Amino acid sequence: MTIQFGNPDRPNSYIGKTVPRPNARRLVQGRGVYVDDIVLPRMVHVAFVRSPFAHAKINRIDAEDAKSVKGVLRVFTGKDIAEVCKPWVAVLAHLKGLKSPPEHAIAVDRACWVGEPVAAVVATSRAAAEDGAALVDVDYEQLDVVTDMMTALDPETPVLHPDMGDNLAFRRLHEQGDVDETFRTAHKVVSARFVTGRHTGVTLEPRSILVDWNPAEEQMTAWHATQAPHMIQTVLATHLDLPESRVRVICEDVGGSYGIKVHVYPDEMATAAIAKIMKRPVKFIADRLESFSSDIHARDHQIEAKIAVGEDGRILAMDVDDWTAIGPYSVYPRTSAIEGNQVVNLCGGPYDFQNYRARTTVVFQNKTPTCQYRAVGHPIAVAITEGLVDMAAAEIGMDPVEIRRRNMFRDDAYPVTSPANMRFEGLSHHASMDKLLELMDYDGLRAEQAELRKKGIYRGIGIASFIELTNPSPFMYGIGGARISAQDGCTVRMDPDGSIVALSGVTEQGQGTEAMLSQVVAEGLGVSPARVRVITGDTQVTPYGGGTWASRGAGIGGEAALQAARALRDSILEVAASMLQADQAQLDIRDGAVVDSTSGEARMPLEELGRIVYFRGDTLPKGLPRELVQTRHFITSEYPFAFTNGVQASYLEVDTETGIVKLLKHWCVEDCGRVINPLLVDEQIRGGIVQGLGGALFEEIHYDAEGQLLNGSMADYLVPMAAEMPDMIIGHVETPTGESLLGAKGAGEAGTAGSPAAVMNAINDALRPMGAQVTEMPFTPERIVRALGTLND
């Protein structure tokens, strides 16, 4: 049977419809189960002593006073933990030249950033553990620090890891065409320096883990707020010297992730090691203050870039020089070089030109490690590309939409390969732009903008086209030797009452995975989504899979679910055909019953078939297959990634006296392939836009020259609030991928990818009459008035 998704002639089709989340009732009633809700017999708590210095030798640790605190059981140093937990080195073989030193769960001999764990205190309560941690006396010897990424490779700068030889972690150069000659002969060359502020995820639920070691069964069980349970299972087994079959990772409800919870953290590994040593459950819940210095950071980049255009507005060449700093270690196991690598891969993405040079330089420094965060590298690459395109349009006097029209890959040109050698299966830049202009009334806004300027009101319109990398294949990590699965699996079974259970390796992180999977399974089987129960996040019961990251849940996990559901449907119909003495090809399943496929006449409810198979199998023919459970795995094979695309627009007003930006309206047209649940997709995009606007206008981690974190609290680190956000209008174009039956790509990061560039271009559009321009995120009032030249120091 060929499934025609969204066909109005099939009233039982659930693809393309908004279906309520199965877990919504439980969550709004406050019955979610988070790691901190779980209490086990004999459970203890761990608190970590963290370095107050960015770089210091650890001469001595005196824990006697800590041990005297009532409830404190033990104090562990880095050397204690190293006896049972092997250090890790986060490099990928395909990122040639990437290097990083071994990292321990707790620092041994030396601390390399403010917040690195140097000791752990275990007690019967969290309060006692924290009291004990405050009394641990550490004798530090401060060492020279490396904080400025742009001087990290200078000869006079200290080498953070002497064994590495220098502070260079990774460098990559990609060059295609004759870049220098093209710039030399181009009609116009526009250059700019872009800066993206370092920020972090600030998830509603902090990082959390509870680990129990049962020596009688030699079984480790970890309840973990993670995006990749099977990856964590492998890591715990590898570094604690356990068989993977003896490690179980359970991920129940998670209060937000954004990539923050897809990494291996030293304190979480130490918690597991302590559980193994003490042979009892150990819980660690990061508090908000320590999260700012221990959660990964991201987006810390400085870029020099330029673009060459012809008289007709055609892009001729682009040159990008990106610098980023990743802290003292590459983060395990995905590595911290991926963000810079993504900048090289994604710059220039929507545009058809031939001459391209991009390099990234990744250096070590004494700050909190950085790694992958929602839309890895995308907001940086889009800001560079779209910022340069807007500047080029202004330089030659061309409308920003028109210059994009002249350069975007044609919608009928695919498959194509970008200047960065990214292979695109099928995108829809022109169709997306058409829809955007229709939604926003572009010409009307331009007329309004012109009239308001006459009154001294400065509004700006910013456009940003983008591509988004989704559905990653093994070319993302597996090729580099990382044990991170690009495939995913789903098991679908029918129970005796005709209800359906689906077990998936993709995890629910609040984005609607359970709803999506219930719809896909319902579609594949021919039942209502309400009849499908979805179970995720348990390595002992779900098929092996990669989890939730890189917008892969629907495209990879959804396809596995569809294939498993269709296989189960075939199994059910084979049994039904035997019971009904009918031709299997003439039967279908609709609304939870076996029916005549032509007339729709009901022949048998699923619960009756289930009763016979499970309890009266003696009445069925011998040898008849009666497996009412099917498992399927899926992995992409034709393309390394399923790229999506879209275009965003921002309409805002800048107060030229104060520099305050007022967001008026925001639009996003996005092509994520097949849309499974429109409301979920739209809200994913809106949430991503908000996160992107946070980076564009508010969020920035500040350090001083000694590597001290200056704004590590919610009192000083700004995040976007609801009252500051504009109305958001979302539209879609659908270009399904041919790699799967479902045709779904990803949508989780599109909003974050394009919104900062759209806001930047809108601000600069508003400031253009005054000859001012901003390219350093976040675009704070201070930076805007400095650009206007009206701030007196």
Side-chain angles (χ1 to χ4, degrees):
M1 183 185 79
T2 300
I3 295 180
Q4 299 177 2
F5 296 110
N7 187 337
D9 295 330
R10 289 192 70 229
N12 62 332
S13 175
Y14 296 102
I15 301 298
K17 294 182 180 179
T18 293
V19 174
R21 299 186 183 207
N23 60 348
R25 184 188 300 272
R26 176 172 57 81
L27 293 177
V28 298
Q29 289 181 358
R31 296 182 182 275
V33 178
Y34 300 89
V35 173
D36 204 21
D37 294 321
I38 301 169
V39 177
L40 300 179
R42 301 179 65 247
M43 186 179 78
V44 295
H45 300 258
V46 61
F48 291 92
V49 180
R50 299 183 182 274
S51 172
F53 302 111
H55 197 196
K57 182 180 178 182
I58 302 170
N59 290 324
R60 177 183 52 83
I61 297 177
D62 184 351
E64 290 307 310
D65 288 346
K67 293 176 182 177
S68 68
V69 173
K70 183 179 180 180
V72 169
L73 303 176
R74 291 189 65 173
V75 177
F76 292 90
T77 66
K79 292 179 181 178
D80 297 329
I81 300 300
E83 292 180 5
V84 298
C85 183
K86 292 180 289 189
W88 50 87
V89 178
V91 296
L92 294 173
H94 68 298
L95 298 182
K96 302 301 182 184
L98 173 60
K99 60 190 181 187
S100 184
E103 183 177 8
H104 286 270
I106 295 179
V108 177
D109 299 329
R110 184 173 62 124
C112 291
W113 82 88
V114 171
E116 182 173 10
V118 298
V121 178
V122 180
T124 54
S125 70
R126 171 72 188 217
E130 290 183 345
D131 287 346
L135 294 176
V136 174
D137 182 23
V138 183
D139 178 20
Y140 294 100
E141 179 184 333
Q142 292 193 62
L143 304 173
D144 292 334
V145 297
V146 181
T147 56
D148 179 16
M149 73 172 73
M150 301 308 295
T151 61
L153 301 183
D154 291 354
E156 60 271 20
T157 300
V159 176
L160 179 52
H161 303 292
D163 291 345
M164 297 288 100
D166 55 31
N167 291 321
L168 179 66
F170 176 66
R171 177 173 277 155
R172 179 191 168 197
L173 170 66
H174 174 82
E175 187 166 6
Q176 177 170 300
D178 193 341
V179 177
D180 291 329
E181 177 62 17
T182 304
F183 274 102
R184 189 185 68 80
T185 60
H187 173 63
K188 292 287 185 183
V189 174
V190 177
S191 61
R193 178 177 180 268
F194 298 89
V195 177
T196 56
R198 171 185 279 245
H199 50 274
T200 189
V202 198
T203 55
L204 189 60
E205 178 202 23
R207 290 187 297 106
S208 309
I209 189 169
L210 167 60
V211 185
D212 184 24
W213 169 251
N214 184 331
E217 298 181 355
E218 295 187 330
Q219 172 80 30
M220 175 170 283
T221 303
W223 290 264
H224 194 194
T226 178
Q227 296 171 238
H230 283 102
M231 183 196 82
I232 296 298
Q233 176 192 31
T234 298
V235 169
L236 291 174
T238 299
H239 293 277
L240 295 174
D241 196 23
L242 300 168
E244 287 192 34
S245 62
R246 294 295 181 178
V247 178
R248 180 184 185 185
V249 177
I250 302 172
C251 174
E252 300 205 34
D253 293 307
V254 177
S257 297
Y258 318 129
I260 294 295
K261 296 174 182 173
V262 78
H263 307 293
V264 170
Y265 286 91
D267 45 24
E268 294 173 4
M269 290 296 292
T271 301
I274 291 169
K276 187 179 181 185
I277 293 170
M278 297 187 69
K279 300 179 175 58
R280 61 192 302 177
V282 183
K283 179 186 282 188
F284 166 64
I285 309 293
D287 68 31
R288 183 62 65 191
L289 293 177
E290 67 184 330
S291 289
F292 273 100
S293 63
S294 62
D295 290 359
I296 63 104
H297 296 173
R299 311 278 206 253
D300 195 3
H301 290 252
Q302 297 186 35
I303 308 106
E304 297 285 346
K306 59 183 178 179
I307 190 171
V309 295
E311 291 185 70
D312 59 355
R314 293 288 300 176
I315 297 172
L316 304 175
M318 185 177 291
D319 191 357
V320 176
D321 186 8
D322 167 60
W323 282 68
T324 184
I326 60 168
Y329 300 99
S330 175
V331 175
Y332 188 65
R334 293 165 186 271
T335 85
S336 301
I338 289 293
E339 186 169 84
N341 198 58
Q342 291 282 68
V343 172
V344 174
N345 288 338
L346 298 173
C347 279
Y351 302 113
D352 185 2
F353 63 99
Q354 300 303 315
N355 304 289
Y356 177 64
R357 180 165 58 212
R359 68 190 64 77
T360 187
T361 302
V362 182
V363 299
F364 295 117
Q365 63 177 177
N366 293 113
K367 295 181 183 178
T368 297
T370 70
C371 207
Q372 288 94 309
Y373 173 60
R374 191 176 192 173
V376 184
H378 291 64
I380 301 152
V382 177
I384 296 167
T385 303
E386 296 302 291
L388 289 175
V389 168
D390 254 32
M391 294 172 198
E395 183 70 18
I396 63 176
M398 184 174 288
D399 182 83
V401 171
E402 179 59 26
I403 195 171
R404 288 173 170 81
R405 289 280 201 201
R406 296 190 182 194
N407 288 284
M408 293 186 299
F409 285 108
R410 300 190 329 272
D411 290 356
D412 62 356
Y414 297 93
V416 299
T417 300
S418 77
N421 284 338
M422 295 291 103
R423 295 172 56 207
F424 301 147
E425 176 194 7
L427 302 176
S428 58
H429 292 298
H430 290 275
S432 296
M433 183 68 78
D434 288 342
K435 188 150 195 173
L436 175 78
L437 298 182
E438 177 186 345
L439 288 175
M440 67 184 296
D441 184 17
Y442 182 76
D443 292 338
L445 287 180
R446 284 294 183 199
E448 179 180 271
Q449 178 190 43
E451 287 301 312
L452 289 173
R453 279 182 179 175
K454 296 175 184 177
K455 302 176 183 179
I457 298 173
Y458 293 93
R459 291 187 175 181
I461 302 169
I463 305 291
S465 295
F466 64 90
I467 56 173
E468 179 197 355
L469 183 155
T470 76
N471 293 9
S473 74
F475 279 87
M476 175 69 89
Y477 295 114
I479 192 175
R483 293 174 64 83
I484 298 172
S485 180
Q487 62 98 57
D488 229 294
C490 185
T491 297
V492 181
R493 77 167 188 261
M494 190 183 88
D495 285 343
D497 65 349
S499 62
I500 308 299
V501 177
L503 302 100
S504 173
V506 177
T507 56
E508 170 69 66
Q509 307 281 312
Q511 80 279 40
T513 290
E514 291 185 21
M516 177 273 293
L517 289 173
S518 70
Q519 286 178 256
V520 171
V521 170
E523 179 76 22
L525 267 172
V527 301
S528 164
R531 190 181 279 223
V532 180
R533 184 187 177 198
V534 176
I535 296 174
T536 69
D538 188 337
T539 60
Q540 187 163 285
V541 299
T542 62
Y544 202 99
T548 295
W549 49 275
S551 300
R552 66 184 299 279
I556 306 294
E559 177 65 15
L562 178 62
Q563 291 187 17
R566 293 185 69 181
L568 177 58
R569 174 187 173 278
D570 290 343
S571 297
I572 292 171
L573 291 181
E574 184 177 4
V575 174
S578 176
M579 294 174 65
L580 298 170
Q581 298 185 2
D583 181 357
Q584 182 177 340
Q586 299 303 312
L587 298 177
D588 195 3
I589 302 174
R590 300 175 189 170
D591 297 325
V594 177
V595 302
D596 183 277
S597 60
T598 302
S599 67
E601 176 187 358
R603 300 292 304 275
M604 176 184 293
L606 289 182
E607 50 263 44
E608 177 63 13
L609 184 145
R611 184 185 69 83
I612 297 297
V613 169
Y614 284 107
F615 307 125
R616 290 304 312 273
D618 60 296
T619 64
L620 297 174
K622 294 180 179 180
L624 176 70
R626 56 193 75 185
E627 296 295 332
L628 300 186
V629 57
Q630 294 287 344
T631 298
R632 292 294 184 272
H633 288 80
F634 176 72
I635 189 170
T636 56
S637 57
E638 296 296 326
Y639 288 85
F641 312 101
F643 279 96
T644 73
N645 71 274
V647 57
Q648 297 192 36
S650 174
Y651 188 46
L652 52 77
E653 184 175 311
V654 179
D655 185 323
T656 55
E657 292 186 2
T658 65
I660 292 175
V661 174
K662 182 179 181 181
L663 300 170
L664 301 174
K665 207 160 191 178
H666 199 100
W667 298 263
C668 178
V669 175
E670 185 261 5
D671 184 346
C672 65
R674 188 79 64 196
V675 174
I676 298 171
N677 187 314
L679 182 60
L680 285 181
V681 172
D682 286 0
E683 294 311 310
Q684 275 283 288
I685 293 171
R686 287 190 175 95
I689 289 171
V690 170
Q691 207 147 10
L693 295 178
L697 295 174
F698 305 104
E699 298 183 55
E700 184 174 22
I701 293 280
H702 291 279
Y703 283 87
D704 67 13
E706 298 303 313
Q708 287 292 327
L709 179 61
L710 300 178
N711 61 332
S713 76
M714 295 301 292
D716 302 302
Y717 182 85
L718 301 181
V719 294
M721 307 291 282
E724 297 158 335
M725 293 296 98
D727 288 338
M728 301 177 199
I729 309 300
I730 311 300
H732 296 281
V733 173
E734 291 191 58
T735 307
T737 174
E739 283 248 54
S740 65
L741 297 172
L742 188 58
K745 304 177 186 177
E749 298 168 289
T752 308
S755 53
V759 167
M760 177 180 70
N761 285 343
I763 292 171
N764 288 333
D765 184 51
L767 300 181
R768 195 158 283 121
M770 285 79 73
Q773 179 173 280
V774 290
T775 55
E776 183 174 353
M777 294 187 207
F779 306 113
T780 61
E782 178 185 355
R783 286 172 178 154
I784 290 173
V785 294
R786 284 191 184 279
L788 289 166
T790 57
L791 180 65
N792 296 318
D793 290 321

